[in-house]
Amino acid sequence: LELQKDEAEDTQSEQEETFMSPPVEDPELNINHPYYDVARHGIIQLAGDDNSGRKVITFSCCRMPPSHQLNHTRLLEYLKYTLDQYVENDYTVVYFHYGLKSLNKPSLKWLQTAYKEFDRKYKKNLKALYVVHPTNFIKILWNIFKPLISHKFGKKITYLNYLSDLREHLKYDQLNIPQEVIRHDENLRRKQKGKLPPVVKVPPPRPPLPTQQFGVSLQYIKDKNKGELIPPVMKETVSYLKRKGLQVEGLFRRSASIQTIKDVQKLYNQGKLSSYFCEFQPLLTFECYDHILGITSVESSLRVTRCKQIIQGLPEHNYVVLKYLICFLHMVSQESIYNRMTASSLACVFGLNLIWPSKGTASLSALVPLNLFTELLIDFYMNIFNSRTVPGEILP
């Protein structure tokens, strides 16, 4: 009954003719995907990082077709399949509730099964669950399931009434928010205030400081550090971890607090500490993206050779920094008996930080080839990087 009331309010305020959007076409989604029947709707998507650098997964109810067109058991399997790529590391989920209707809602039994299916390995590293546009139905549902939900898990749930509330938690521009959700948010604001909020003028970006280290190019860092190819903080961090962290279990799996990250970045930019990677372009460059996505279509015995071909085309500076990083990650993987970070685990952490598309964020279907490519770089470091040397380069 509460769900029907919510639907009636939506229909009255927005005069909607349909309740769902057409399937979102993902150009990287192959018909041979094991969950193509579910993935083609775009219900679950990868959406960049939150403010602590944790990967963000979105769930959009408005993209769920009527129940007779979607196998909810398959939906649950696909959700687990997606999260399995992240549960070893901290991650965040954003749930867009708008669009859940009587025609497409799962049963209460399905919801109960879903919560039981997500055992400790899924809940442990889930750091935040943001419920956007909660309704009376959500509140009643929460009361029904409250006895089944642990207090610790309940503290991870945050209700957000407006999309703008996401900005203090996530990199908002990386989110792929359905247009229906955006229109609903605008209607809620009109209803609340009588008009849309005024457009906030954003001042033009200031030129970087001479000591600026974040948000600048590798070339800028090189020019400001007497021509050194490897960013100083990278050398310092690698040196420290070689001495102190190679055998630390779970190395790289946990994200630092957002305040710690901000404090360290501020010190770097003020010249009180050294530098790090650029934030403008990926280390593997945009030009490599499509070539890397094709790695899964290459015969397995030829994939290492293909990896070598791809990185040989990198600009010299990018190649040197990549080689330095992968050399260190190879060292970490060699200690996996202690730190539990195999090449595969490290690829899940670093893959999406080395390469992403020139527009938007990588889709879920791109994760397999991106992670496979990174895993091959780490596992076969000696083979892949042995044919190109650059004057002045150093290794960990």
Side-chain angles (χ1 to χ4, degrees), residues 178-205:
Q179 286 299 314
E180 295 91 334
V181 174
I182 294 175
R183 288 196 296 269
H184 177 66
D185 190 77
E186 291 172 347
N187 286 326
L188 287 177
R189 289 186 174 279
R190 288 193 190 99
K191 188 176 180 180
Q192 182 70 21
K193 299 182 179 180
K195 61 180 181 179
L196 288 175
V199 177
V200 178
K201 293 184 178 180
V202 179

Side-chain angles (χ1 to χ4, degrees), residues 1-223:
L1 290 176
E2 288 300 329
L3 181 56
Q4 290 173 349
K5 290 179 183 178
D6 292 336
E7 292 177 35
E9 289 179 3
D10 291 342
T11 302
Q12 182 179 6
S13 62
E14 303 179 27
Q15 299 296 311
E16 293 182 319
E17 296 179 358
T18 59
F19 77 94
M20 58 167 285
S21 60
V24 178
E25 294 296 331
D26 179 0
E28 298 166 358
L29 182 63
N30 190 291
I31 195 170
N32 295 321
H33 189 286
Y35 291 96
Y36 178 82
D37 56 321
V38 180
R40 68 189 182 92
H41 295 290
I43 302 167
I44 303 164
Q45 293 196 331
L46 175 68
D49 305 322
D50 65 12
N51 289 338
S52 296
R54 301 181 291 237
K55 294 305 173 188
V56 176
I57 303 296
T58 63
F59 188 104
S60 302
C61 288
C62 68
R63 289 179 174 165
M64 292 177 64
S67 296
H68 69 275
Q69 296 179 11
L70 178 67
N71 184 322
H72 288 152
T73 299
R74 292 276 293 169
L75 174 62
L76 177 57
E77 291 173 356
Y78 177 54
L79 181 56
K80 292 176 65 177
Y81 170 85
T82 300
L83 294 180
D84 278 343
Q85 302 174 65
Y86 297 99
V87 294
E88 294 296 327
N89 310 296
D90 296 345
Y91 69 99
T92 293
V93 173
V94 178
Y95 169 77
F96 294 112
H97 178 65
Y98 175 74
L100 187 69
K101 309 287 183 178
S102 299
L103 290 175
N104 69 345
K105 71 177 180 67
S107 67
L108 288 180
K109 183 178 180 180
W110 182 90
L111 292 173
Q112 186 175 12
T113 300
Y115 183 77
K116 291 180 179 179
E117 285 285 322
F118 291 114
D119 54 25
R120 185 176 183 273
K121 79 169 185 175
Y122 296 98
K123 298 169 187 173
K124 176 184 175 184
N125 287 341
L126 173 63
K127 296 306 172 185
L129 169 59
Y130 298 108
V131 179
V132 182
H133 301 138
T135 61
N136 290 334
F137 174 73
I138 282 289
K139 296 171 184 175
I140 291 175
L141 199 63
W142 172 254
N143 287 330
I144 293 175
F145 282 92
K146 196 170 183 179
L148 303 177
I149 297 176
S150 69
H151 176 69
K152 187 175 181 180
F153 182 81
K155 290 171 64 177
K156 299 179 181 181
I157 301 174
T158 301
Y159 294 104
L160 304 176
N161 292 321
Y162 301 106
L163 290 174
S164 59
D165 297 334
L166 284 168
R167 293 185 182 275
E168 64 179 279
H169 306 286
L170 310 170
K171 296 179 181 178
Y172 184 84
D173 294 338
Q174 293 183 356
L175 293 176
N176 184 9
I177 304 175
Q179 286 299 314
E180 295 91 334
V181 174
I182 294 175
R183 288 196 296 269
H184 177 66
D185 190 77
E186 291 172 347
N187 286 326
L188 287 177
R189 289 186 174 279
R190 288 193 190 99
K191 188 176 180 180
Q192 182 70 21
K193 299 182 179 180
K195 61 180 181 179
L196 288 175
V199 177
V200 178
K201 293 184 178 180
V202 179
R206 294 179 295 179
L209 297 169
T211 53
Q212 189 88 20
Q213 309 298 340
F214 286 88
V216 293
S217 67
L218 279 174
Q219 184 62 45
Y220 185 91
I221 296 174
K222 176 184 175 183
D223 292 342

